[in-house]
Amino acid sequence: MTYTKRFDGREFDETRKIEAKVGVVPNADGSAYFAFGETKAIAAVYGPRIFHPQHLKNPQKGVLRCFYDMMSFSVTERKRPGPARRSSEISLVTSQSLMPVVQLDNFPNSVIDVYILILQADASTRCAGINAASMALAHAGIPMTGLVSSVSVGNIGGSIAVDLSKEEEDYEEDGKKFATDTAMAFLPNGNVSLLQLDGKTSPEMLKKAIEAGRKTCLKITEIQKKALKALESK
Ligand code: ADP
C-alpha cells in the first residue's frame, strides 16, 4: 500500500463536498444540480411526452432516454463539442442505471428525456450526472420505486478511496498508472445498477470497493432526499 494520505486530505471513505439542489431549470418538467467538489452536473427532464419518431415508440411501456455531455469549458483543454463515443457510452449506461427504478409501464408510447450536462469536470462526472438525473426525475413527478445513487471508488496505490478526483484517477507509481476507477450506482434495495471498472484490481479489492460504494451511496441518497424535501417545504 503506497497511497496512505489522500491528495486533498480527505478520509478514504469521505466524498468531496456534495451540493444537491432541485428546480434549477424552471422550464423543464424536473431538474437538479449535483456536485462532488469541482465536478458539477446539471440534469433536466422533459416528459413523459409523445415519442417521435413514431417507429421507436413502445406501445407496452415508455422509453427513458439520457443524453450526457460535457460543456466545452468544463475541462481546461477545451472539449470538442458534439457527440462522441465517450458521451454515447455514458448516456447509455446512465439510462440503464436509472431504468430499474423508473416505472415506465405507466407511459406507453411515450418518452422521458433526461439531459445531463457537466459544467465542470474533475473526474466522476458520470456519477454526478446519475445523481442529478435521479433527483430531476423525482422532481418531475415520474413514478419511481426510489432514487438511484452513484459514486466512484478507486483502488489507488493499494488503498480503497471513495469519490475519486482527477488527480487520484491519474495516480502513478514509478512512472506507471496505479489507479483503478470503478464507477458504481445502487438501487434503493442495495442492488447494483452500474458497475464499470477502468484499470486492474483483484476480486477481493473489488468486493471491498463495492461495499465502500454501497455505504457511501446510502449517505448520498439521504442528501438527494433532503434536497427534494427542501423544495417541497418551500
Ligand atoms: P468520469 O468523468 O465519469 O470519471 P472518465 O473516466 O471517462 O469519466 O473521465 C475522467 C475525467 O477525465 C473526467 O471527469 C474529466 O475530468 C476528464 N476528461 C474526460 N474527457 C475529457 C476531455 N475531452 N478533455 C479533458 N478532460 C477530460
Side-chain angles (χ1 to χ4, degrees):
M1 199 187 295
T2 52
Y3 188 58
T4 50
K5 214 165 169 252
R6 296 185 81 171
F7 291 127
D8 54 13
R10 273 185 284 154
E11 299 293 332
F12 280 89
D13 63 352
E14 189 182 345
T15 65
R16 291 170 283 182
K17 182 174 180 254
I18 292 179
E19 287 171 88
K21 201 176 168 194
V22 286
V24 293
V25 182
N27 284 353
D29 294 312
S31 61
Y33 167 79
F34 190 96
F36 282 123
E38 298 307 317
T39 291
K40 299 173 189 286
I42 204 160
V45 171
Y46 293 85
R49 56 188 178 185
I50 298 295
F51 198 173
H52 296 293
Q54 285 258 29
H55 69 275
L56 291 176
K57 272 184 190 173
N58 183 340
Q60 253 86 47
K61 60 180 197 170
V63 174
L64 179 73
R65 282 195 302 194
C66 293
F67 304 90
Y68 162 103
D69 207 355
M70 300 204 308
M71 301 297 282
S72 294
F73 54 77
S74 64
V75 282
T76 37
E77 288 272 317
R78 175 178 177 273
K79 186 231 157 227
R80 194 162 173 257
R85 270 177 57 175
R86 179 177 173 275
S87 50
S88 309
E89 175 224 316
I90 298 180
S91 299
L92 183 72
V93 298
T94 298
S95 306
Q96 287 172 345
S97 74
L98 294 166
M99 217 107 75
V101 299
V102 183
Q103 301 199 294
L104 292 167
D105 293 349
N106 296 328
F107 308 111
N109 295 317
S110 306
V111 64
I112 301 168
D113 284 321
V114 186
Y115 297 93
I116 299 164
L117 271 180
I118 305 304
L119 305 179
Q120 195 171 269
D122 181 17
S124 314
T125 60
R126 74 195 66 202
C127 303
I130 289 170
N131 291 333
S134 171
M135 290 161 66
L137 284 162
H139 180 227
I142 309 291
M144 293 157 82
T145 54
L147 293 166
V148 175
S149 307
S150 177
V151 74
S152 64
V153 185
N155 174 355
I156 314 293
S159 301
I160 297 287
V162 306
D163 182 28
L164 304 183
S165 64
K166 183 77 176 127
E167 204 180 3
E168 287 182 319
E169 267 193 8
D170 296 340
Y171 181 76
E172 286 187 358
E173 215 168 83
D174 303 327
K176 267 176 76 182
K177 192 168 172 180
F178 191 13
T180 305
D181 167 24
T182 318
M184 47 186 93
F186 293 90
L187 302 175
N189 62 7
N191 283 352
V192 173
S193 73
L194 170 80
L195 188 64
Q196 288 187 293
L197 190 146
D198 188 6
K200 284 185 186 159
T201 192
S202 63
E204 294 73 40
M205 287 301 264
L206 180 61
K207 262 189 204 157
K208 277 190 189 164
I210 293 173
E211 279 328 302
R214 187 177 274 124
K215 240 168 118 180
T216 308
C217 280
L218 284 176
K219 294 183 204 158
I220 293 173
T221 310
E222 287 314 306
I223 296 171
Q224 290 170 298
K225 281 187 187 164
K226 204 171 148 199
L228 283 155
K229 282 184 186 152
L231 190 84
E232 273 168 26
S233 59
K234 265 189 193 167

